[in-house]
Amino acid sequence: MSLHNNLPSSPLQVISETRRDLIGSPDLSRLFDSTSLSMSDESISTPLLSPPLCTPPLPSLSTTPPLSAPSSSLEPPIPPISEKQIRIDVGGYKFSTTLTTLTADPDSMLAAMFSGRFPTIKNPEGYIFIDRDGQYFHHILNWLRNGTLPPIEHQIERESLLLEAKYYHISSLADFVMNLDATLEDKTNNRASQFSVKEFLKLVNTVPSRRKLQLASANLTGLSLDGISLPAANLKFCKLDQASLQYSTLSESMFQGASLNYADLQHADLQLCQFMKCRMQYAKLNNANLSNANLMGADLTGCDLQGANLQGANLQDAILQGANVQYTNLLNAKLQGASLHGITNVHHAKGLKR
């Protein structure tokens, strides 16, 4: 007989045969019988337990795969939907952004479009198509991200962006563009009215010698026009702040309502000029000739009038507070109602009653 035929077919068979052999032994049968008698005498009804057997562990029959330790090479978790990248094709211009940006303005059309309430169709490349001009859509995204935009100088670009803001119902951006447009328009107008020295001199040379220069309300701020000759010019309401007009000839010119704060008019010929209601704070009028000039109601606060000729000038209701009148000629000047508080070097002024 082959040895292979005597081998047990499984561990369970080994256990079963071992238990049968032990119980079938005569010595063990007698032991079990005596134990049963002694236990019955003691009226113990506890059933007999089989002696423990040293058996090999049974193989596990569970089909659950064993758990493995977490691996560091696992893929990162999928980010929340608010941070997922969304690709948009706006009129052929392609953009990548997030749901957070697109829904930043809850009242906008973009927030409604990407709220999940409406289906969005993607093209084969995975882009959501919007049939609008995409040339200015980057401004839309930047506004939704930052809440502001840098100045947009070109008017056509501002008008186009305003149309897009209204289409997407982003009212805050529409208001911003309209305010920006108004601000830049004001600046443009100011620049347009402000002459350069070259432009000013070109204009002066085109005026016939017998005609008076007409420059009412012109912006001449900061221009250097030293030595220029403009007798009887119309400079009403001009802006001449910080302008330099040293040794210039401006006799009989009209400056009513003009602004000449910090202007330099040293040694200028200003005879018979009209300076009513002018603002001339801290202007330099050293050695200027202002004889018979009309300075009624002018503000000359802090002016330097050292050596100036104001003989016969009308200074009624003028403000001369803190002005320097050292060696100033004020003979026959009209000073009724003038404010002279804090003027300096009064004792050196000529014609000023102390």
Side-chain angles (χ1 to χ4, degrees):
M1 179 180 295
S2 175
L3 292 176
H4 293 288
N5 294 333
N6 295 330
L7 293 176
S9 61
S10 68
L12 291 177
Q13 183 179 355
V14 173
I15 295 169
S16 176
E17 292 176 356
T18 303
R19 288 175 61 88
R20 185 172 61 249
D21 293 341
L22 289 173
I23 295 174
S25 173
D27 295 334
L28 288 176
S29 298
R30 289 194 297 270
L31 177 62
F32 290 151
D33 291 341
S34 60
T35 305
S36 301
L37 291 174
S38 62
M39 291 178 66
S40 60
D41 293 343
E42 296 175 0
S43 302
I44 299 175
S45 60
T46 305
L48 292 175
L49 299 176
S50 300
L53 298 176
C54 296
T55 60
L58 298 178
S60 174
L61 301 178
S62 173
T63 59
T64 305
L67 296 176
S68 60
S71 174
S72 59
S73 62
L74 294 177
E75 294 293 329
I78 299 175
I81 191 170
S82 61
E83 296 305 324
K84 287 180 64 177
Q85 187 183 66
I86 296 177
R87 298 189 293 178
I88 306 174
D89 184 339
V90 185
Y93 290 81
K94 295 180 179 179
F95 303 90
S96 294
T97 184
T98 63
L99 186 64
T100 301
T101 297
L102 292 170
T103 59
D105 186 339
D107 298 324
S108 69
M109 191 192 77
L110 291 172
M113 180 178 178
F114 292 94
S115 63
R117 294 174 294 170
F118 306 99
T120 54
I121 301 175
K122 297 182 179 180
N123 63 16
E125 297 179 353
Y127 286 86
I128 299 172
F129 182 73
I130 300 177
D131 189 15
R132 294 293 296 179
D133 187 352
Q135 185 176 356
Y136 309 104
F137 193 73
H138 67 283
H139 289 313
I140 300 289
L141 292 179
N142 286 333
W143 176 263
L144 293 173
R145 292 179 184 125
N146 308 317
T148 187
L149 290 177
I152 302 171
E153 295 291 338
H154 300 290
Q155 184 177 358
I156 295 177
E157 187 174 359
R158 295 196 303 271
E159 292 176 353
S160 299
L161 179 57
L162 180 59
L163 288 175
E164 296 304 301
K166 290 181 177 180
Y167 173 79
Y168 292 111
H169 293 280
I170 307 176
S171 57
S172 57
L173 176 57
D175 293 340
F176 175 84
V177 175
M178 287 189 289
N179 292 334
L180 181 65
D181 192 55
T183 302
L184 292 175
E185 184 177 356
D186 291 341
K187 290 182 179 179
T188 302
N189 291 337
N190 289 336
R191 286 196 296 266
S193 62
Q194 184 171 354
F195 287 90
S196 66
V197 175
K198 183 177 180 180
E199 291 171 338
F200 181 80
L201 294 178
K202 183 178 180 180
L203 178 62
V204 170
N205 292 331
T206 59
V207 178
S209 57
R210 296 183 179 181
R211 296 186 60 183
K212 300 177 182 179
L213 180 65
Q214 301 293 326
L215 276 175
S217 302
N219 190 348
L220 306 174
T221 302
L223 292 190
S224 180
L225 302 171
D226 296 338
I228 197 166
S229 179
L230 295 173
N234 180 5
L235 298 169
K236 294 179 180 179
F237 304 103
C238 278
K239 293 182 179 180
L240 285 157
D241 299 311
Q242 301 178 4
S244 182
L245 293 160
Q246 297 184 53
Y247 298 96
S248 59
T249 301
L250 296 164
S251 55
E252 301 185 30
S253 292
M254 295 176 287
F255 289 92
Q256 290 97 315
S259 180
L260 294 105
N261 296 321
Y262 297 94
D264 191 346
L265 294 158
Q266 298 181 74
H267 303 278
D269 183 0
L270 303 170
Q271 299 179 70
L272 298 168
C273 283
Q274 305 295 317
F275 288 104
M276 290 88 76
K277 300 290 183 180
C278 279
R279 297 179 298 279
M280 304 174 70
Q281 296 182 11
Y282 301 97
K284 295 180 181 179
L285 292 162
N286 311 51
N287 302 301
N289 186 359
L290 288 153
S291 60
N292 298 303
N294 189 349
L295 293 146
M296 186 175 181
D299 187 353
L300 296 159
T301 301
C303 277
D304 191 349
L305 295 167
Q306 182 176 350
N309 182 9
L310 285 160
Q311 185 173 352
N314 183 0
L315 289 163
Q316 297 181 70
D317 300 316
I319 301 173
L320 291 159
Q321 296 180 11
N324 180 9
V325 292
Q326 186 174 18
Y327 307 119
T328 303
N329 184 0
L330 291 165
L331 289 172
N332 301 317
K334 299 177 182 179
L335 293 166
Q336 292 86 347
S339 176
L340 305 176
H341 179 72
I343 60 174
T344 60
N345 296 313
V346 177
H347 57 286
H348 291 296
K350 184 185 296 186
L352 185 62
K353 295 181 181 180
R354 300 169 184 79

